[in-house]
Amino acid sequence: MNKTAVVLGGTGLVGSALLELLVHSPAFSNVRCISRRAPHLDHPKLTHCHADFEQLENYAEAFQGDCLFSCLGTTRKQAGSLAAQRRVDVDYQLRAAQIAAQQGVPHYLLVSAMGANADSLSAYMQMKGELEDAVIALNFASTSIFQPSLLTGARDQRRWAESLSAPLMEAACHLPGLKNYRPISGTQLAQAMLERSLENTQGLKRYRLGECFPKSE
């Protein structure tokens, strides 16, 4: 196989793990990371597009490929305000998806969140739901949306709420009926995304909770 992968947010928790998996996958001969910062990974298959996200239209050719993995995301604290968070979590990702659709990318894969709903009372879940609805309307040949539970792993900026809640959730998930709600690492989610990108799926598919884990788990 001679596929090209485009990764948005390749310096984050899931995106960086995904880059590592993609460059070692025989299915992909080219991997392109579109980000503000250069990824830590160095590999012959990997190229970096240093992009100004306020002017993504200027990098339209960089979006050409077989799969667009959208792993971009931030928190209100990191962004500085709810409006700034929305700029990253909704506006940038939607514009990237629109450009990818215009470039004829057949498969769009999005990291969303458990509980994403445009009608949610939670601002975060509302943003995630709005983005899901908007990218679905772009009618990619294949749209894969991942709605994991709590994401764990080493981040450049530590999130204390996640660090404190992860052990509690892990313990609670040993109770009957709660296994699918267990935390998932960025590497596990990245592996599941890679697996799904190699499947011959068409139309919309949402992967919820336990479906976000690699098939081997």
Side-chain angles (χ1 to χ4, degrees):
M1 299 178 71
N2 190 35
K3 302 179 73 173
T4 295
V6 181
V7 179
L8 194 71
T11 59
L13 177 66
V14 179
S16 58
L18 183 58
L19 287 181
E20 184 76 37
L21 293 171
L22 287 167
V23 297
H24 290 99
S25 170
F28 290 90
S29 58
N30 296 288
V31 181
R32 191 176 305 118
C33 174
I34 300 176
S35 60
R36 288 171 169 164
R37 294 182 290 120
H40 300 302
L41 181 64
D42 183 24
H43 193 277
K45 284 187 183 180
L46 178 64
T47 57
H48 175 232
C49 174
H50 184 276
D52 176 357
F53 279 74
E54 293 293 336
Q55 316 236 354
L56 279 177
E57 297 82 1
N58 294 339
Y59 312 93
E61 290 186 2
F63 286 87
Q64 294 176 2
D66 298 283
C67 302
L68 172 62
F69 297 88
S70 193
C71 308
L72 196 64
T74 188
T75 64
R76 189 185 309 189
K77 181 179 179 180
Q78 288 174 324
S81 68
L82 183 61
Q85 182 186 11
R86 182 183 180 83
R87 190 73 176 146
V88 174
D89 280 14
V90 181
D91 297 346
Y92 290 165
Q93 294 208 80
L94 177 56
R95 189 66 194 113
Q98 290 169 336
I99 295 170
Q102 292 165 359
Q103 293 295 318
V105 174
H107 195 173
Y108 175 82
L109 301 98
L110 172 68
V111 177
S112 185
M114 176 182 68
N117 188 328
D119 296 321
S120 174
L121 296 178
S122 162
Y124 179 75
M125 296 306 175
Q126 186 182 91
M127 285 189 288
K128 293 297 185 183
E130 288 180 10
L131 177 61
E132 286 191 13
D133 293 345
V135 297
I136 290 169
L138 295 175
N139 292 315
F140 286 91
S142 180
T143 302
S144 300
I145 297 176
F146 297 80
Q147 297 179 330
S149 182
L150 182 68
L151 283 167
T152 62
R155 298 180 185 270
D156 288 342
Q157 293 181 316
R158 190 166 187 180
R159 299 182 183 180
W160 290 103
E162 291 180 359
S163 300
L164 294 173
S165 59
L168 297 176
M169 287 187 65
E170 191 69 55
C173 289
H174 290 289
L175 298 174
L178 295 181
K179 181 180 179 182
N180 283 342
Y181 290 85
R182 67 192 187 279
I184 180 172
S185 73
T187 299
Q188 288 173 311
L189 180 55
Q191 179 64 48
M193 295 180 76
L194 173 60
E195 290 175 356
R196 303 312 189 274
S197 74
L198 300 178
E199 296 175 351
N200 187 25
T201 59
Q202 296 293 312
L204 171 65
K205 175 64 178 177
R206 280 191 173 93
Y207 299 95
R208 296 182 170 90
L209 300 173
E211 295 177 307
C212 292
F213 285 85
K215 289 186 174 181
S216 58
E217 300 181 27

